[in-house]
């Protein structure tokens, strides 16, 4: 019986793909992954070192926690301090520092902050605590957004009036466009995010080969998935082609999950979003529609005062997120900034590039 | 954060909830995005919701392709199947 994990970790098949890569790859190329789960899997499985020397695997802005701007973390911390508020969040976000503090520090100082596994748990918490205001901190890409939209629909249907969401959700394709328009890194291909693509499908990437001449391959997270994706990119480059290909057909279709997409669009409308290291990208955010204003923490807590934003001195997370430097190239990496005492979000988050490289990667053979 | 894990649907309950076995741990999973999921299917689970029903035929096809790829790499130089 197929279980969809161990089969895609087969070392003999991996060796076969690596041999094929050695044979097919004739020119130096740089590919970027834009998903934190890919970053971790590539680092953990030593794939940056395993691929032939002329293939560089760069990490981009793929960790939703890492790209959350300090201003958005500061706002959440200020809301958490309001009377009768229970702040709920996925665990990833809790330790990430804003300008002055983190949710973990605020929790220790007395704010009621709780980690939930699912948005369903947050709605349940609101039902169980009718005298409290339960706010869910909505961070994440298209994989996560449908579940947050569903929680708002659910809360409306069940008349849970004390539930709201602060949406700092982001969508991935506009960030890929922003990176290409910045022109700081020369890319020969994108390894497109597998589980974002489960929801959005492969179509939203088509502008990348069409307008920028850059190949894209959607792939999964096991070592064989990633190697197959890299091979498909190399083969496109070698043939002089640029198109969107799908190496994750067991989960990804051209159109994605239509119900999930409809759920997102029912509750959210496109807006601008502030990305750490990149800045405001038009159309890359998702705001809660007027129709659901009662569940929008941005409206409900609009009067809450937020202190002025301060960036962390010496932290180069912004450049790491844009793929301009490797984590090693930051002066703080592995010295002042380590997972036990992180300074920037890329070292805090389990899916941050700095944390992944610190835990698993050897220093690359060549600099960025 | 976009981590998703495959799990097997073992029971479908009321209110869009299924029991899903993920490597021996059974959790409640929302089926709102995959109403077609039925007992015995593998689904991709993300933060308590099933986001897609696995396409087993495609999974087998991919594995077969990868095996062939590795075998093809054994061919002498210049012969890329």
């Amino acid at each position: 019986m197929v279980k969809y994990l161990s089969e895609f970790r087969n070392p003999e098949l991996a060796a076969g793909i690596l041999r094929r890569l050695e044979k097919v790859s004739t020119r130096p190329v740089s590919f970027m992954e834009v998903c934190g789960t890919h970053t971790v899997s590539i680092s953990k499985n030593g794939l940056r070192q395993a691929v032939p020397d002329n293939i560089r695997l760069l990490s981009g802005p793929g960790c939703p926690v890492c790209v959350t701007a300090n201003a958005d973390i500061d706002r959440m911390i200020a809301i958490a301090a309001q009377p009768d508020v229970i702040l709920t969040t996925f665990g990833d976000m809790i330790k990430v520092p804003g300008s002055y503090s983190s949710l973990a520090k605020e929790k220790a100082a007395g704010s009621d902050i709780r980690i939930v596994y699912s948005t369903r748990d947050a709605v349940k918490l609101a039902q169980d605590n009718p005298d409290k205001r339960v706010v869910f901190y909505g961070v994440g890409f298209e994989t996560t957004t449908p579940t947050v939209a569903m929680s708002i629909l659910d809360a409306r249907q069940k008349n849970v009036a004390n539930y709201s969401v602060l949406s700092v959700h982001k969508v991935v394709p506009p960030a890929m466009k922003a990176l290409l328009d910045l022109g700081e890194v020369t890319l020969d291909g994108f390894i497109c995010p597998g589980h974002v693509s489960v929801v959005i499908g492969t179509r939203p990437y088509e502008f990348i080969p069409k307008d920028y001449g850059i190949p894209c391959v959607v792939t999964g997270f096991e070592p064989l998935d990633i190697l197959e994706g890299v091979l498909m990119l190399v083969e496109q480059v070698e043939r002089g082609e640029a198109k969107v290909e799908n190496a994750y057909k067991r989960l990804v279709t051209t159109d994605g999950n239509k119900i999930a997409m409809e759920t997102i669009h029912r509750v959210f409308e496109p807006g601008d979003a502030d990305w750490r290291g990149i800045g405001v990208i038009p159309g890359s955010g998702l705001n809660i529609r007027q129709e659901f204003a009662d569940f929008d923490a941005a409206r409900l807590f609009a009067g809450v005062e937020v202190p002025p934003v301060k960036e962390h001195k010496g932290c180069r997370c912004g450049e790491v997120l844009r793929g301009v430097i490797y984590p090693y190239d930051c002066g703080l990496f592995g010295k002042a900034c380590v997972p036990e005492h992180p300074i920037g979000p890329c070292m805090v988050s389990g899916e941050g590039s700095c944390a992944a490289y610190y835990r698993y990667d050897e220093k690359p053979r060549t600099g960025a | 954060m976009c981590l998703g894990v495959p799990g097997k649907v073992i029971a479908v309950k009321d209110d869009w909830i299924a029991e899903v076995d993920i490597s021996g741990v059974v959790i409640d999973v929302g089926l709102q995005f995959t109403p077609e999921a039925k007992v015995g299917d593998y689904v991709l689970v993300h933060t308590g919701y099933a986001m897609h029903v696995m396409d087993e035929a495609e999974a087998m096809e991919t594995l077969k392709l990868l095996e062939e790829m590795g075998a093809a790499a054994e061919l002498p130089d210049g012969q890329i199947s």
Side-chain angles (χ1 to χ4, degrees), chain A residues 23-72:
Chain A
K23 194 166 278 189
V24 176
S25 172
T26 65
R27 64 186 89 171
V29 285
S30 297
F31 300 143
M32 176 180 274
E33 84 268 359
V34 280
C35 170
T37 314
H38 273 146
T39 301
V40 171
S41 184
I42 290 171
S43 290
K44 198 172 178 177
N45 291 294
L47 301 183
R48 270 178 242 287
Q49 290 75 25
V51 294
D53 283 354
N54 52 348
I55 302 171
R56 282 204 311 157
L57 300 180
L58 298 174
S59 306
C63 159
V65 171
C66 303
V67 297
T68 301
N70 273 4
D72 288 327

Side-chain angles (χ1 to χ4, degrees), chain B residues 34-58:
Chain B
T34 57
E36 73 277 22
K38 55 188 190 302
V39 171
D41 283 346
Y42 274 84
V43 290
L44 179 81
V45 179
H46 172 71
T47 66
Y49 286 87
M51 303 310 292
H52 198 84
V53 179
M54 287 272 183
D55 188 330
E56 185 152 358
E58 286 289 0

Side-chain angles (χ1 to χ4, degrees), chain A residues 1-5 7-8 13 16-17 19-20 23-24 35 37 62 64-65 90 92-93 117-120 139-147 150-151 154 158 195-196 198-199 221 224-225 228 231-232 235 247-253 256-257 259-260 263 351, chain B residues 1-8 15-17 22-23 27-36 40 42-60 62-81:
Chain A
M1 185 176 34
V2 180
K3 293 203 178 59
Y4 305 103
L5 286 179
E7 297 87 347
F8 292 90
L13 289 184
I17 305 175
R19 281 197 300 274
R20 170 119 175 168
K23 194 166 278 189
V24 176
C35 170
T37 314
V65 171
F90 293 137
D92 317 45
M93 206 60 223
Y117 166 65
S118 168
T119 51
R120 247 192 338 267
V139 176
F141 295 148
E142 293 94 323
T143 323
T144 311
T145 320
T147 74
M150 188 56 76
S151 76
D154 199 30
K158 292 175 178 161
H195 291 159
V196 163
V198 167
V199 173
F221 300 95
L224 291 188
D225 292 318
E228 188 193 8
L231 177 60
M232 286 164 85
E235 286 179 328
Y248 204 23
K249 287 185 178 167
R250 63 187 185 275
L251 281 169
V252 173
T253 60
N257 185 323
I259 299 174
T263 307
E351 295 200 333
Chain B
M1 181 176 267
C2 292
L3 198 67
V5 288
K8 190 179 186 179
D15 201 22
W16 295 100
I17 294 288
I22 299 173
S23 304
I27 64 165
D28 280 352
V29 165
L31 291 185
Q32 284 93 336
F33 304 118
T34 57
E36 73 277 22
Y42 274 84
V43 290
L44 179 81
V45 179
H46 172 71
T47 66
Y49 286 87
M51 303 310 292
H52 198 84
V53 179
M54 287 272 183
D55 188 330
E56 185 152 358
E58 286 289 0
M60 298 309 289
T62 301
L63 286 169
K64 192 165 149 262
L65 194 77
L66 294 176
E67 274 170 31
E68 287 168 4
M69 232 178 240
E74 303 287 357
L75 295 171
D77 277 350
Q79 290 186 33
I80 299 164
S81 66

Side-chain angles (χ1 to χ4, degrees), chain A residues 28-363:
Chain A
V29 285
S30 297
F31 300 143
M32 176 180 274
E33 84 268 359
V34 280
C35 170
T37 314
H38 273 146
T39 301
V40 171
S41 184
I42 290 171
S43 290
K44 198 172 178 177
N45 291 294
L47 301 183
R48 270 178 242 287
Q49 290 75 25
V51 294
D53 283 354
N54 52 348
I55 302 171
R56 282 204 311 157
L57 300 180
L58 298 174
S59 306
C63 159
V65 171
C66 303
V67 297
T68 301
N70 273 4
D72 288 327
I73 299 171
D74 298 345
R75 192 154 55 118
M76 198 67 258
I77 286 171
I79 291 173
Q82 298 303 301
D84 299 324
V85 164
I86 301 176
L87 177 71
T88 54
T89 176
F90 293 137
D92 317 45
M93 206 60 223
I94 194 108
K95 283 188 186 160
V96 181
S99 300
Y100 308 96
S101 184
S102 66
L103 292 174
K105 282 182 188 164
E106 295 302 305
K107 183 176 165 71
S111 288
D112 193 346
I113 297 168
R114 305 189 197 183
I115 294 171
V116 291
Y117 166 65
S118 168
T119 51
R120 247 192 338 267
D121 302 337
V123 175
K124 177 81 171 34
L125 193 68
Q127 286 177 296
D128 294 345
N129 295 274
D131 53 338
K132 299 281 188 183
R133 298 184 285 176
V134 174
V135 183
F136 180 76
Y137 192 13
V139 176
F141 295 148
E142 293 94 323
T143 323
T144 311
T145 320
T147 74
V148 180
M150 188 56 76
S151 76
I152 291 175
L153 294 175
D154 199 30
R156 165 156 290 178
Q157 197 209 339
K158 292 175 178 161
N159 291 316
V160 187
N162 61 327
Y163 176 73
S164 64
V165 171
L166 184 74
S167 171
V168 295
H169 291 108
K170 294 176 178 64
V171 290
V172 172
M176 297 164 81
K177 181 177 188 308
L179 278 186
L180 293 171
D181 289 341
L182 280 170
E184 293 173 303
V185 282
T186 306
L187 295 178
D188 302 287
F190 273 115
I191 300 170
C192 298
H195 291 159
V196 163
S197 306
V198 167
V199 173
I200 70 173
T202 59
R203 222 186 283 279
Y205 306 110
E206 278 173 4
F207 74 94
I208 298 173
K210 187 168 157 278
D211 300 343
Y212 297 88
I214 293 176
C216 290
V217 173
V218 175
T219 195
F221 300 95
E222 298 308 321
L224 291 188
D225 292 318
I226 292 167
L227 288 174
E228 188 193 8
V230 170
L231 177 60
M232 286 164 85
L233 285 174
V234 166
E235 286 179 328
Q236 282 199 47
V237 171
E238 295 290 337
R239 288 195 302 262
E241 287 179 357
K243 55 187 179 181
V244 178
E245 288 184 297
N246 183 1
Y248 204 23
K249 287 185 178 167
R250 63 187 185 275
L251 281 169
V252 173
T253 60
T254 308
D255 293 320
N257 185 323
K258 285 184 178 173
I259 299 174
M261 289 301 288
E262 282 163 14
T263 307
I264 293 176
H265 292 134
R266 171 101 180 80
V267 174
F268 296 103
E269 59 191 1
D272 298 344
D274 188 4
W275 295 60
R276 182 189 302 275
I278 302 175
V280 174
I281 304 175
S284 72
L286 289 168
N287 297 330
I288 295 172
R289 289 183 186 277
Q290 176 65 38
E291 187 192 340
F292 297 97
D294 295 352
F295 299 95
D296 185 358
R299 290 180 171 97
L300 299 175
F301 294 90
V304 171
E305 203 172 312
V306 183
V309 178
K310 196 179 76 171
E311 297 300 332
H312 307 292
K313 212 177 161 192
C315 171
R316 297 180 73 185
C317 275
E319 291 158 276
V320 170
L321 290 166
R322 298 199 302 277
V324 178
I325 63 166
Y326 278 113
Y328 321 98
D329 301 328
C330 174
L332 302 179
F333 179 84
K335 301 183 187 103
C337 186
V338 292
E340 293 75 24
H341 307 284
I343 291 173
C346 300
M347 187 62 90
V348 182
S349 167
E351 295 200 333
S353 299
C354 296
Y357 282 60
Y358 182 83
R359 287 198 175 92
Y360 304 115
D361 261 299
E362 293 168 30
K363 198 162 179 162

